Amino acid sequence: MSVVPNTRKRVTTRRLIEMKSAGKPIACLTAYDAISAAILDASGVEVLLVGDSVGNVIQGHDTTIPVTLEHMIYHTQAVVRAVSRALVVTDMPFMSYQVSPQEAFRNAGRLMKEAGSGAVKLEGGQRVVDSVRLMTENGIPVMGHLGLTPQSIHQFGSYKERGSTPEEAEIMKRDALALQEAGAFAIVLEKIPATLAAEITSLLSIPTIGIGAGPACDGQILVWTDMMGMSTEFNPRFVRRYADLHTVMIEAASQYVRDVKERSFPSDEESY
Ligand code: KIV
């Protein structure tokens, strides 16, 4: 039996809000290129996020800080070409939305117009609300991102859990409500206590998408290379590994190397 839903109707932001109301969980993954996006889209995920985690996963940086708007446009274009069902959301990279709401709006517009994204995501609460409002009032759907916000790594100094003091939790609840009021259609909650994520989820009429935020969120997101077990170095407890592609790929590549060295590849059937 196939686990792939037989409807290929495009997922919309409105559909995600309806899913929350109906109590239907929302499955999201990241994607950075056409071939993996096509495979992941066929799995039935509702959202493919072209995350600025591209900086870590694809570009090999330690942080997301070096990622540029041009990088995000390039990767989004590749993903959009391959996807027929999932909503493609693109991260706004560091310094593409912090200077002013006008600049944020213009850059978000490039992600929609030049890259073909269906929505943008940006990190932060009250401080980005004016930008979020300007975008949503002008036809650009926005996903918020609270909790651990990797673009602020140099301010926080670590990737540890956020929202564990009563003060931080209060600010996060206010931030979530402010983003919703500014028109955001969903909010990612990253690495916060499960109880706080549950509280925020019940406060909001828009969906929360958790990563390391417990089971009460309306949806979940993982970095696709983490959940497929491609890397052996990043092992936070919120990542469940559904495959061991690291081993599969090393074994396959090693077999290829052996075959070439032994001249058993290519065979007559593989030649012209
Ligand atoms: O960039 C990213 O991959 C993200 C997810 C972790 C939510 O923002």
Side-chain angles (χ1 to χ4, degrees):
M1 196 186 82
S2 169
V3 291
V4 179
N6 57 14
T7 165
R8 298 302 297 167
K9 222 170 129 190
R10 250 300 159 200
V11 178
T12 60
T13 56
R14 177 188 288 252
R15 172 79 190 121
L16 299 180
I17 294 169
E18 286 166 2
M19 287 178 75
K20 175 177 177 117
S21 308
K24 292 187 180 163
I26 300 164
C28 316
L29 286 170
T30 64
Y32 314 106
D33 60 56
I35 189 161
S36 54
I39 294 168
L40 301 174
D41 190 40
S43 73
V45 284
E46 273 82 30
V47 173
L48 284 172
L49 170 70
V50 187
D52 61 353
S53 51
V54 71
N56 309 86
V57 176
I58 304 295
Q59 299 173 342
H61 294 295
D62 287 340
T63 72
T64 58
I65 304 291
V67 177
T68 67
L69 189 68
E70 303 307 322
H71 295 153
M72 297 311 295
I73 290 173
Y74 172 86
H75 286 279
T76 302
Q77 285 170 336
V79 169
V80 165
R81 282 182 208 118
V83 168
S84 61
R85 178 178 178 271
L87 174 70
V88 177
V89 180
T90 303
D91 255 335
M92 297 198 69
F94 183 60
M95 290 312 290
S96 69
Y97 60 96
Q98 285 87 347
V99 173
S100 69
Q102 285 68 26
E103 192 170 306
F105 178 45
R106 195 172 306 113
N107 287 333
R110 289 192 64 196
L111 290 169
M112 306 290 289
K113 203 174 162 79
E114 294 174 39
S117 198
V120 300
K121 173 166 88 57
L122 41 83
E123 297 181 4
Q126 301 279 352
R127 72 183 160 85
V128 297
V129 155
D130 288 343
S131 303
V132 173
R133 187 170 293 108
L134 186 57
M135 291 175 202
T136 58
E137 283 177 352
N138 288 284
I140 300 181
V142 179
M143 180 181 265
H145 185 154
L146 297 173
L148 174 62
T149 47
Q151 291 175 15
S152 307
I153 177 61
H154 294 309
Q155 188 179 11
F156 291 119
S158 84
Y159 288 110
K160 79 175 184 42
E161 178 187 332
R162 303 277 188 268
S164 30
T165 66
E167 296 74 27
E168 268 189 59
E170 264 326 296
I171 292 171
M172 210 178 295
K173 283 188 256 178
R174 282 206 295 272
D175 281 345
L177 286 167
L179 287 169
Q180 172 173 274
E181 193 274 322
F185 71 88
I187 302 178
V188 167
L189 299 176
E190 181 165 355
K191 222 170 173 187
I192 66 170
T195 47
L196 175 59
E199 238 186 295
I200 294 175
T201 299
S202 64
L203 276 178
L204 300 179
S205 54
I206 57 170
T208 57
I209 308 295
I211 174 163
C217 294
D218 299 300
Q220 299 292 331
I221 185 162
L222 285 173
V223 169
W224 85 264
T225 48
D226 293 341
M227 53 81 73
M228 293 287 189
M230 282 186 85
S231 146
T232 50
E233 282 149 32
F234 185 62
N235 296 303
R237 71 193 229 203
F238 63 79
V239 173
R240 184 179 293 179
R241 288 185 180 226
Y242 288 85
D244 181 5
L245 289 197
H246 184 82
T247 304
V248 169
M249 290 177 78
I250 288 198
E251 282 175 3
S254 307
Q255 184 62 50
Y256 167 76
V257 170
R258 278 194 296 277
D259 289 354
V260 170
K261 307 265 178 213
E262 289 165 2
R263 296 190 183 282
S264 67
F265 174 81
S267 64
D268 288 346
E269 294 74 38
E270 288 157 334
S271 306
Y272 295 92

